[in-house]
Amino acid sequence: MKDIDAIAVLQDPVRRRLYEYVVAQGREVGRNEAAEAAGVARTLAAHHLDKLTQVGLLESGSRRLTGRSGPGAGRPAKVYTRARVERSVSLPSRDYRTAAELLAEAAERAGLDAELCAAARRRGEGLRGSATPCGGLEEAMEVLAARGYEPHVEASEGDEEVAPVVRMRNCPFHAVAERFPPLVCGMNLALLEGLIGADGPVRAWMDARPGECCVVLEDSKNDEH
């Protein structure tokens, strides 16, 4: 199926709400939960979730939502997560990814990491414009959400003394970062430092995790990393 056909199924408002909810959770979501979040009947939610899986926007599996196993644990339920495949549409057709990969390869071979980071920081500062540095994590999350990073607060489990950090479920440069991780992740960090303001109360640092953006944000008064 062509990317444009897959994306077109999101035109249905219920289907789009279900997709956005599943994506926002960053984990497996069952039919009952998705239906409740979208405000529709379970049967209708199941129909739309399966359609989203059919076109490749979601992936489905099954597990026991009770967390138990063995007799009396109940039947496995169908669950959904965002598909790993990337979809994009450009009219007329463009191929910016190849250009980005070629430029990244040339920069890496020439050892231009520092120059690239400096340019990225300037770009971030330019995007911020005359605005002051982000005043806190909440404001920084709004800025990053607008640029597609999908930020979320990650609180430390079982330790209230550990301050929360902001992680991001999406890396806008994912395809190129997979091929040139040190170069592109460093560029991304510098870009975000310029965007949120490196001299403000929010500090950005790198802590790579599979499937997420490599940059993490925290209140600058926390211990240095």
Side-chain angles (χ1 to χ4, degrees):
M1 174 175 289
K2 294 182 179 179
D3 284 2
I4 192 169
D5 296 324
I7 294 172
V9 306
L10 294 174
Q11 183 176 1
D12 182 284
V14 174
R15 200 173 289 160
R16 185 165 184 172
R17 288 204 305 273
L18 288 164
Y19 174 77
E20 290 175 344
Y21 179 78
V22 172
V23 167
Q25 305 317 301
R27 55 173 172 77
E28 295 177 330
V29 174
R31 287 173 169 175
N32 288 340
E33 179 186 348
E36 183 177 351
V40 298
R42 182 183 184 280
T43 52
L44 180 60
H47 166 74
H48 285 308
L49 289 167
D50 286 341
K51 180 63 177 179
L52 290 166
T53 302
Q54 179 185 343
V55 300
L57 294 177
L58 296 180
E59 294 178 355
S60 64
S62 62
R63 67 177 177 85
R64 289 187 173 90
L65 298 179
T66 61
R68 302 194 305 269
S69 60
R75 297 176 58 186
K78 200 163 188 178
V79 292
Y80 303 84
T81 56
R82 174 164 51 187
R84 290 181 288 266
V85 65
E86 183 177 312
R87 303 282 186 178
S88 63
V89 175
S90 175
L91 298 174
S93 180
R94 297 288 188 259
D95 188 7
Y96 299 114
R97 176 174 171 177
T98 296
E101 290 178 345
L102 288 171
L103 290 169
E105 181 178 355
E108 188 174 74
R109 287 178 177 272
L112 298 176
D113 303 56
E115 289 82 356
L116 178 60
C117 287
R121 190 171 287 103
R122 288 194 299 271
R123 174 58 63 90
E125 292 170 349
L127 292 171
R128 179 159 52 91
S130 59
T132 58
C134 290
L137 289 180
E138 185 174 344
E139 184 181 347
M141 289 178 68
E142 292 178 0
V143 171
L144 296 176
R147 302 198 64 81
Y149 282 90
E150 299 179 10
H152 66 100
V153 176
E154 180 183 79
S156 178
E157 296 183 3
D159 191 347
E160 297 181 355
E161 295 183 0
V162 177
V165 298
V166 171
R167 294 186 180 272
M168 291 165 275
R169 293 193 176 99
N170 183 51
C171 172
F173 314 111
H174 174 72
V176 187
E178 278 196 318
R179 289 196 57 188
F180 308 95
L183 181 76
V184 177
C185 290
M187 175 201 76
N188 188 30
L189 174 61
L191 176 69
L192 294 186
E193 286 177 337
L195 186 61
I196 66 176
D199 54 345
V202 178
R203 189 166 67 87
W205 49 284
M206 282 204 287
D207 182 28
R209 281 187 181 179
E212 292 188 353
C213 174
C214 59
V215 179
V216 179
L217 304 182
E218 67 177 358
D219 192 300
S220 60
K221 67 175 177 288
N222 293 343
D223 292 338
E224 295 292 325
H225 287 264

